[in-house]
Amino acid sequence: MLEKRTLGKTNIKVSPIGIGVMMWMGGRGLIGRIAPDVSDVVKNDIIKESFAGGINFFDTAEFYGFGRSETNLANALKANNVEDKDVVIGTKWAPVLRRARNMRRTINNRINYLGGYAIDLYMIHQPISFSSIKTEMKELARLLENKKIRSVGISNYNAKQMRTAHEELEKLGIPLAANQVHYSLVRRNIETDCILDTAKELGVTITAYTPLAGGLLTGKLHNNPEALKNKSSMYRMVAKRNLEESIPLVETLTEIAKTHDVLPGQVALNWLVNYHGDTVITIPGATKAYQAKEAAGAMTFELSKAELDEIADISERFL
Ligand SMILES: NC(=O)c1ccc[n+]([C@@H]2O[C@H](COP(=O)([O-])OP(=O)(O)OC[C@H]3O[C@@H](n4cnc5c(N)ncnc54)[C@H](OP(=O)(O)O)[C@@H]3O)[C@@H](O)[C@H]2O)c1
């Protein structure tokens, strides 16, 4: 079983594989097309399976339904009698068309939506805002000082922006805990555009989002391309592009999975959190209980160095 890891240079310990609850903003109408409804029973079961399998880390955001995903997460944790001390929650401020001072005006909304669970990690969702990164970091430091949040993170920042955030926080004696970025075996650009190297150098955790390429790396679409029909046009466009190109990769994941008596998607997650030492953790999305169980199961076996390298080699085209 993989051990818990420290978020950056903080004292917060997380399971290397957490669960992303972006889809828990779902429902009807326009949003329902992107994020279908996940019933309360299923959400509760996802939390149950997560904790049963050693997962203690959950990712949400203001932008995921402006409180819906956060509230749904809090309710499902409560339904499972999870205490605040046993869970690590990351949420994010939506910076577009806003200034940093908006954080102090909206932080109590986040706290209320999370219904008594602390914000263990507060991230700037993306580096697009009316304020500079430096001003945003100062504002986050203020929230930390006022005990509204427990640690500071960023998301979708490139290497230079991450360094700026780190430097500004360092002046204030605060570690930059994590940079949440798109990273999977079919999207490996952080390995070549300095994001990963910079994170390693600065001691910042990389949180990989969309680690299963929306389910593609489980092999389910290769086995049943018809399933694509039920997906949004955006999803279909990206998946179709990767479907053909990822056949050799998914075949390799499937072969390696067989030798460990696990599933290809679990091998993909295990690779992600092990290939670069302990710098990378990940947050696969779950809309069904079995998905949380499988995500947790991805922490229960060890890939050999030869297997890790074989997977890296076969997915080289995605670098
Ligand atoms: N910071 C950012 O800008 C950003 C952007 C995107 C996402 N995120 C975060 O990252 C999390 C995960 O990202 P994501 O949902 O885009 O991508 P993902 O984790 O690659 O894909 C999740 C989807 O894959 C399918 N899936 C998951 N486990 C499976 C399994 N064991 N077997 C078969 N299918 C499985 C499910 O599809 P079905 O629902 O169809 O079953 C699920 O909704 C989000 O919840 C969010 O917290 C952050």
Side-chain angles (χ1 to χ4, degrees):
M1 182 75 176
L2 291 179
E3 289 188 0
K4 294 216 167 43
R5 295 186 188 168
T6 307
L7 269 186
K9 292 179 181 165
T10 69
N11 58 5
I12 299 173
K13 297 265 186 199
V14 294
S15 47
I17 297 179
I19 292 288
V21 298
M22 175 175 73
M23 288 295 167
W24 295 16
M25 67 178 162
R28 300 189 192 91
L30 199 61
I31 287 191
R33 287 180 62 85
I34 312 162
D37 200 19
V38 183
S39 75
D40 288 348
V41 172
V42 172
K43 286 184 207 113
N44 296 349
D45 284 348
I46 289 172
I47 296 294
K48 190 174 162 192
E49 290 293 356
S50 300
F51 278 91
I55 288 174
N56 75 335
F57 178 43
F58 298 87
D59 181 76
T60 179
E62 174 180 18
F63 193 60
Y64 305 159
F66 296 93
R68 278 180 71 102
S69 166
E70 290 160 322
T71 302
N72 284 331
L73 173 61
N75 288 344
L77 289 167
K78 275 182 200 157
N80 280 278
N81 298 315
V82 176
E83 291 182 37
D84 184 37
K85 67 176 175 47
D86 297 323
V87 62
V88 177
I89 297 178
T91 190
K92 317 180 193 82
W93 173 68
V96 178
L97 301 176
R98 282 170 158 178
R99 289 189 189 284
R101 282 175 77 88
N102 174 270
M103 274 186 252
R104 71 180 73 172
R105 288 198 289 274
T106 52
I107 191 67
N108 286 336
N109 296 343
R110 308 270 68 69
I111 290 169
N112 290 338
Y113 286 128
L114 285 171
Y117 291 100
I119 299 174
D120 298 295
L121 172 65
Y122 200 39
M123 293 161 275
I124 309 281
H125 207 138
Q126 49 202 299
I128 305 162
S129 153
F130 287 143
S131 293
S132 67
I133 290 173
K134 288 184 180 183
T135 309
E136 286 176 340
M137 293 307 121
K138 285 189 188 120
E139 190 67 26
L140 283 169
R142 189 177 181 275
L143 296 181
L144 195 74
E145 199 179 310
N146 291 336
K147 303 212 177 331
K148 299 282 187 186
I149 61 174
R150 287 186 60 213
S151 72
V152 169
I154 52 179
S155 177
N156 297 305
Y157 277 42
N158 65 28
K160 190 164 172 245
Q161 292 162 334
M162 176 169 37
R163 196 176 284 284
T164 304
H166 167 84
E167 281 171 5
E168 196 57 30
L169 290 170
E170 198 175 40
K171 284 185 210 158
L172 305 166
I174 297 168
L176 176 61
N179 187 7
Q180 186 177 124
V181 292
H182 196 165
Y183 182 44
S184 75
L185 278 164
V186 291
R187 185 163 169 140
R188 291 180 58 188
N189 43 310
I190 69 161
E191 294 177 53
T192 51
D193 63 12
C194 295
I195 290 182
L196 186 66
D197 286 345
T198 306
K200 278 188 184 170
E201 178 200 326
L202 303 177
V204 174
T205 293
I206 289 290
T207 311
Y209 74 70
T210 317
L212 292 169
L216 184 91
L217 290 169
T218 66
K220 67 179 180 182
L221 296 174
H222 297 79
N223 297 335
N224 177 23
E226 284 292 297
L228 265 181
K229 279 189 184 152
N230 305 324
K231 295 284 186 184
S232 68
S233 50
M234 174 76 154
Y235 184 101
R236 281 202 303 272
M237 198 177 74
V238 177
K240 268 187 185 157
R241 207 174 50 216
N242 285 332
L243 201 57
E244 192 95 340
E245 267 199 87
S246 60
I247 291 173
L249 167 62
V250 169
E251 282 172 357
T252 299
L253 293 175
T254 307
E255 279 310 306
I256 292 175
K258 277 185 201 150
T259 67
H260 291 272
D261 200 15
V262 295
L263 295 164
Q266 293 179 304
V267 174
L269 294 177
N270 187 297
W271 182 91
L272 216 52
V273 299
N274 282 313
Y275 189 60
H276 306 288
D278 57 8
T279 299
V280 179
I281 61 171
T282 190
I283 43 163
T287 60
K288 284 125 195 144
Y290 83 87
Q291 296 173 349
K293 188 175 184 172
E294 288 181 14
M299 299 191 288
T300 59
F301 61 98
E302 197 175 334
L303 295 172
S304 68
K305 169 92 172 65
E307 287 169 331
L308 290 167
D309 288 343
E310 187 185 350
I311 296 165
D313 288 349
I314 199 84
S315 75
E316 215 170 20
R317 70 183 70 193
F318 299 105
L319 268 169

